[in-house]
Amino acid sequence: MEISLVSCSQVKIIKNDVEIRELGFCNLMNNHQIFNNRIDRICFDGLMMNGNKRWRRSCKVQLPALRAIKSETERTETVIRKRSDSKGKPKLYVGLPLDGISDCNSVNHARAIAAGLKALKLLGLEGVEFPIWWGIVEKETMGQYNWSGYVALAKMVQEAGLKLRVSLCFHGLKEPSIPLPEWVSCIGELQPDIYFTDRSGRRYTECLSLAVDDLPVLNGKTAMQVYQGFLESFKSSFSPFMGSTITDITIGLGPNGELRYPSSPSASTQESGVGEFQCFDKHMLDHLKLHAVVTGNPNWGLGGPHDAPTYYQSPNSNTFFKENGGSWQTPYGDFFLSWYSNQLIYHGDRLLSLASSIFRNTLVTVSGKVPLVHNWYKVQSHPSEMTAGFYNSDSRDGYNQVAELFAKNSCKIILPGMDLSDKHQPSELYSSPELLLSQIRTACDNHGVKCVGENLLASGMLPLNGFERIKHNLSKGTAVDSFTYQRMGAYFFSPKHFSSFTEFVRSLNQPELHHDDMPTYEKEETILVSKPVKDLRMQEV
């Protein structure tokens, strides 16, 4: 297979059987430069691998002669540095692999990540983001933390000269398998009501129900007390990096780290149906019952809506979300939806207020993620947003209160979905990520809240115009402070994708350069790219 990376109008690429280079994630730990005369390799699998497992051959990344690429990236770095120095221009980050740290607190793919960091530095990016998992750090016993792997990873970022955005994740994932702490799961086996529950009794075990925020159900402590201990331990363990390497801390607010209910079977994707309300665990029902009594409607507190659709049903499959005469338009509907959304707002306020207080004097910014639940947005009731906890409809702005929450705590909002456009959405879902994103950004502008953009789809799933859509969203308006591209892995460094990413980085908000700053070429440079050597194998590093 013959491939090229980083196209340049001044460079001519031809084939030759003599010269080959593989951009490597090996043999680079002690080098001052990425590009040298040896054959190096980049190895990534994207998911956690066993130590005895070789990398798939499909993960191999071959590049043209690296002398030209180094020259190209240096020119890009010059442009990006000028862009970064320009006032109001968004800063660029790349997310590190989700499984960067194993459950035994060792760094996975250490050489690969180290070389990747150097490559991103050459491209002129501001920094990287990586998730820190509650289930790994506080795995076995409440109050006993092991930060060693994450500290080592932070040092790697620091040595690469990059900034770091840390995401503190109080949720788990099924893929890759990252559960909640073992001691929490043991409690959950005896007290399953610590988890979100739907109408049929199905438990969502990837995060705690927000109803236990202030209940001492975790070995005598409330969830907020446990979160506080985690945040304070993090602050102490990472104090040498605060404000210098670590510039932003994202607080996990719910499923997939987002401020939302797990209204879809998979919190990281949006299904074709409207989803289900998640208020049927004992503690949520207790809150609902109390609220109904206080407001003078005790019969409304006996349970959630009985006439709402199930996960995969459309809005009109039942009476709650019907366009005309649906229960959501009745006094009961307003009572329930107001309570349901306010519970989510209160949860976000408690966590962000706690984090802002703990990190107040550390020179870091605190942020939280708000989901882009865009399916059924063009339906009057916005049912998918309502089941996720956002009381938003054609006649009611459900994001004004959310933006106000972030403004109150001086936090940034992370907005995924900057890569989505309406034309790529199935027409039968009445979806509009563009209109929803615009609505949330308007609410942020009105309250002076800065936004951090992200792509919703993984790098290997971006639509054809994904990068163009991102550029459009970052150049539109004034609220976007930075953008984090998700996420580094095998596909990220594949020839086709990395070339596109490089062009995206170079062109994003690229300022016009003075003619003295423009690169000059005495003659056209010829680069030789060989056919791959037989049996050249990609080894795990």
Side-chain angles (χ1 to χ4, degrees):
M1 178 176 66
E2 298 162 357
I3 57 178
S4 63
L5 180 61
V6 188
S7 60
C8 176
S9 60
Q10 304 293 331
V11 178
K12 180 180 180 182
I13 299 179
I14 64 176
K15 296 179 288 185
N16 187 277
D17 290 331
V18 178
E19 186 172 355
I20 183 172
R21 296 292 185 270
E22 293 183 318
L23 177 58
F25 281 8
C26 351
N27 303 323
L28 293 173
M29 296 296 290
N30 299 319
N31 291 346
H32 296 291
Q33 296 183 351
I34 289 183
F35 306 112
N36 51 42
N37 294 325
R38 294 188 293 178
I39 293 180
D40 295 323
R41 292 167 298 205
I42 292 187
C43 307
F44 254 120
D45 191 12
L47 297 177
M48 193 175 297
M49 300 286 291
N50 292 328
N52 297 325
K53 203 168 187 179
R54 293 186 183 277
W55 301 97
R56 297 192 298 265
R57 294 177 68 88
S58 60
C59 294
K60 184 185 294 185
V61 180
Q62 296 181 342
L63 307 180
L66 299 184
R67 179 165 54 88
I69 297 178
K70 181 180 179 181
S71 176
E72 180 75 5
T73 52
E74 285 175 342
R75 289 195 293 272
T76 301
E77 185 180 21
T78 300
V79 172
I80 300 303
R81 186 181 299 113
K82 289 178 178 291
R83 175 188 55 74
S84 298
D85 292 340
S86 301
K87 185 177 180 181
K89 302 298 183 180
K91 299 174 182 178
L92 298 181
Y93 295 76
V94 169
L96 296 185
L98 292 173
D99 66 332
I101 302 298
S102 69
D103 59 1
C104 57
N105 260 283
S106 60
V107 180
N108 292 327
H109 335 305
R111 295 178 182 176
I113 290 175
L117 294 175
K118 293 180 180 180
L120 297 180
K121 179 65 175 178
L122 275 176
L123 282 179
L125 270 69
E126 181 77 8
V128 294
E129 174 269 343
F130 71 65
I132 293 181
W133 299 98
W134 182 26
I136 291 178
V137 174
E138 198 178 356
K139 179 180 179 180
E140 297 180 353
T141 306
M142 183 175 67
Q144 293 186 8
Y145 312 99
N146 185 348
W147 302 98
S148 57
Y150 292 110
V151 170
L153 195 52
K155 288 180 180 178
M156 292 171 62
V157 175
Q158 184 182 59
E159 291 169 359
L162 294 168
K163 301 299 182 182
L164 176 59
R165 300 184 64 239
V166 173
S167 298
L168 300 179
C169 303
F170 294 115
H171 66 285
L173 288 180
K174 290 184 178 179
E175 188 63 38
S177 179
I178 304 176
L180 293 181
E182 292 178 356
W183 63 273
V184 172
S185 298
C186 289
I187 294 174
E189 291 178 1
L190 300 176
Q191 303 179 55
D193 283 299
I194 67 173
Y195 300 124
F196 286 109
T197 308
D198 63 20
R199 186 170 55 187
S200 64
R202 173 176 172 172
R203 310 282 185 179
Y204 182 83
T205 59
E206 271 73 57
C207 72
L208 296 178
S209 168
L210 55 81
V212 302
D213 281 355
D214 297 316
L215 295 178
V217 294
L218 302 176
N219 292 338
K221 289 191 175 183
T222 69
M224 280 297 158
Q225 289 174 326
V226 172
Y227 297 150
Q228 180 177 353
F230 186 90
L231 295 177
E232 290 176 343
S233 178
F234 168 81
K235 177 184 177 182
S236 175
S237 300
F238 288 83
S239 58
F241 305 98
M242 293 291 185
S244 53
T245 299
I246 297 177
T247 57
D248 183 274
I249 299 173
T250 300
I251 306 301
L253 300 176
N256 204 38
E258 299 173 334
L259 181 66
R260 64 169 297 166
Y261 291 98
S263 53
S264 297
S266 175
S268 61
T269 61
Q270 298 190 51
E271 308 292 343
S272 59
V274 301
E276 288 194 21
F277 293 110
Q278 305 290 310
C279 59
F280 293 89
D281 63 81
K282 176 183 180 299
H283 306 299
M284 284 290 284
L285 290 175
D286 286 345
H287 285 192
L288 177 59
K289 182 178 181 180
L290 177 62
H291 180 67
V293 171
V294 170
T295 57
N297 299 290
N299 290 334
W300 288 355
L302 301 180
H306 66 279
D307 58 343
T310 59
Y311 289 111
Y312 302 106
Q313 291 181 322
S314 65
N316 289 321
S317 62
N318 216 320
T319 58
F320 190 85
F321 290 118
K322 278 192 172 181
E323 290 289 271
N324 297 312
S327 300
W328 69 279
Q329 297 172 308
T330 66
Y332 165 76
D334 181 67
F335 159 84
F336 174 79
L337 292 170
S338 296
W339 169 81
Y340 189 69
S341 63
N342 283 336
Q343 292 298 300
L344 189 66
I345 293 293
Y346 296 155
H347 169 72
D349 186 35
R350 284 190 290 260
L351 260 177
L352 291 180
S353 177
L354 174 64
S356 295
S357 175
I358 291 174
F359 299 113
R360 178 175 294 127
N361 299 318
T362 59
L363 301 178
V364 301
T365 300
V366 175
S367 61
K369 184 182 291 188
V370 173
L372 198 72
V373 190
H374 56 83
N375 281 352
W376 306 104
Y377 184 84
K378 295 179 181 178
V379 173
Q380 187 180 0
S381 61
H382 296 224
S384 289
E385 292 165 82
M386 288 190 179
T387 58
F390 300 95
Y391 190 3
N392 192 52
S393 69
D394 282 358
S395 59
R396 189 182 192 278
D397 188 346
Y399 296 96
N400 183 67
Q401 192 177 8
V402 175
E404 186 178 14
L405 155 68
F406 280 80
K408 170 187 173 183
N409 292 291
S410 301
C411 297
K412 295 180 183 179
I413 283 183
I414 298 177
L415 285 179
M418 295 262 172
D419 52 324
L420 302 183
S421 61
D422 287 1
K423 68 179 181 180
H424 289 99
Q425 308 307 314
S427 59
E428 65 272 16
L429 296 184
Y430 295 90
S431 172
S432 182
E434 295 179 20
L435 291 177
L436 177 54
L437 188 61
S438 177
Q439 180 184 355
I440 300 175
R441 291 181 65 175
T442 297
C444 291
D445 284 340
N446 291 339
H447 289 276
V449 177
K450 292 183 178 180
C451 297
V452 176
E454 283 189 0
N455 51 306
L456 182 65
L457 301 177
S459 58
M461 301 171 62
L462 283 183
L464 291 177
N465 67 337
F467 282 123
E468 291 301 318
R469 190 68 204 169
I470 293 170
K471 287 193 291 184
H472 170 78
N473 281 321
L474 294 183
S475 62
K476 181 180 179 181
T478 59
V480 178
D481 177 72
S482 60
F483 178 79
T484 302
Y485 186 75
Q486 304 291 7
R487 165 172 313 271
M488 185 189 291
Y491 183 81
F492 180 83
F493 285 105
S494 67
K496 180 180 179 180
H497 177 268
F498 195 69
S499 176
S500 298
F501 180 75
T502 301
E503 292 296 328
F504 162 72
V505 171
R506 184 195 301 129
S507 63
L508 181 64
N509 293 323
Q510 180 173 324
E512 292 186 6
L513 298 183
H514 188 273
H515 64 85
D516 291 337
D517 295 324
M518 297 297 291
T520 58
Y521 306 92
E522 295 182 359
K523 62 180 180 178
E524 186 181 70
E525 186 176 2
T526 298
I527 306 300
L528 304 181
V529 181
S530 79
K531 298 177 181 178
V533 180
K534 276 190 174 181
D535 297 324
L536 186 61
R537 303 190 65 177
M538 185 68 64
Q539 302 291 329
E540 181 179 4
V541 294

